[in-house]
């Protein structure tokens, strides 16, 4: 399941989770229809094929928003974190190198803040869920270099 982008439905995700189908991994597709990169790198204001694209004006993406979506649908943080760490590493055959914090492994770390409150999350079917908290990126460490979470493409929280 890929919450918070053009291919995700809260309606269908609720049914799947209720049936005991829990995702193994999460993703957040990035393309010019679900994010906006300010100039000069720039996402065009219009795409030549906007009228034909099913994901034009799609909800903004974010992997932490995908994680927040799963939590809003009833999964725990302890269920969600492996979906973006150890499970993808296993699928790639790299569980001895990435996806966990153990001696001898690359220590790529993302620090998140769990912000309590009431927040509206929407999919592209315009279905809304109310999240009792949102995960928000603070910074990450990649290969020993700290990167602040200041990207202008991050979705903004919307209070309920």
């Amino acid at each position: 399941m890929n919450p918070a982008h053009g291919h995700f439905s809260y309606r269908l995700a609720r049914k799947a989770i209720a049936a005991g189908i829990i995702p193994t991994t999460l993703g957040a597709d990035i393309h010019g229809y679900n994010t906006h990169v300010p100039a000069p790198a720039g996402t065009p204001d219009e795409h030549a094929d906007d009228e034909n694209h099913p994901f034009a004006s799609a909800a903004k993406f974010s992997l932490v928003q995908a994680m927040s979506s799963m939590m809003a649908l009833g999964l725990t943080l302890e269920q969600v974190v492996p979906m973006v760490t150890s499970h993808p590493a296993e699928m790639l055959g790299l569980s001895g190198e990435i996806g966990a914090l153990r001696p001898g492994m690359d220590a790529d770390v993302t620090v998140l803040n769990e912000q309590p409150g009431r927040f509206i999350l929407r999919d592209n079917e315009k279905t809304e869920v109310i999240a009792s908290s949102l995960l928000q990126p603070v910074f990450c460490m990649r290969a020993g270099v700290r990167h602040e979470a200041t990207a202008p493409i991050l979705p903004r929280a919307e209070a309920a």
Side-chain angles (χ1 to χ4, degrees):
M1 292 186 213
N2 288 328
H5 74 82
H7 307 96
F8 181 75
S9 163
Y10 284 117
R11 180 180 52 81
L12 294 177
R14 279 189 182 115
K15 288 180 181 183
I17 291 169
I21 302 168
I22 307 298
T24 303
T25 61
L26 290 177
D29 290 351
I30 181 169
H31 50 73
Y33 290 97
N34 65 2
T35 190
H36 179 75
V37 178
T43 301
D45 290 332
E46 293 182 23
H47 298 273
D49 64 344
D50 272 353
E51 69 281 356
N52 297 318
H53 200 287
F55 305 117
S57 301
K60 301 298 183 225
F61 88 101
S62 159
L63 187 56
V64 292
Q65 190 154 344
M67 296 168 70
S68 295
S69 292
M70 291 292 98
M71 292 169 58
L73 292 172
L75 300 183
T76 65
L77 182 63
E78 292 75 18
Q79 288 175 292
V80 172
V81 168
M83 294 176 190
V84 299
T85 57
S86 58
H87 293 173
E90 290 169 24
M91 291 177 71
L92 293 170
L94 298 173
S95 57
E97 300 170 45
I98 62 172
L101 293 176
R102 287 194 287 269
M105 298 179 80
D106 291 342
D108 296 334
V109 178
T110 298
V111 175
L112 304 175
N113 177 44
E114 186 173 5
Q115 181 179 345
R118 288 181 46 84
F119 304 95
I120 299 171
L121 301 176
R122 282 186 197 85
D123 64 17
N124 291 319
E125 297 176 335
K126 307 295 186 242
T127 302
E128 294 182 353
V129 296
I130 304 298
S132 59
S133 67
L134 279 185
L135 297 175
Q136 297 181 315
V138 179
F139 69 90
C140 73
M141 296 290 290
R142 171 74 176 115
V145 177
R146 182 178 170 138
H147 301 274
E148 299 299 321
T150 57
I153 63 173
L154 290 172
R156 301 285 177 235
E158 184 178 339

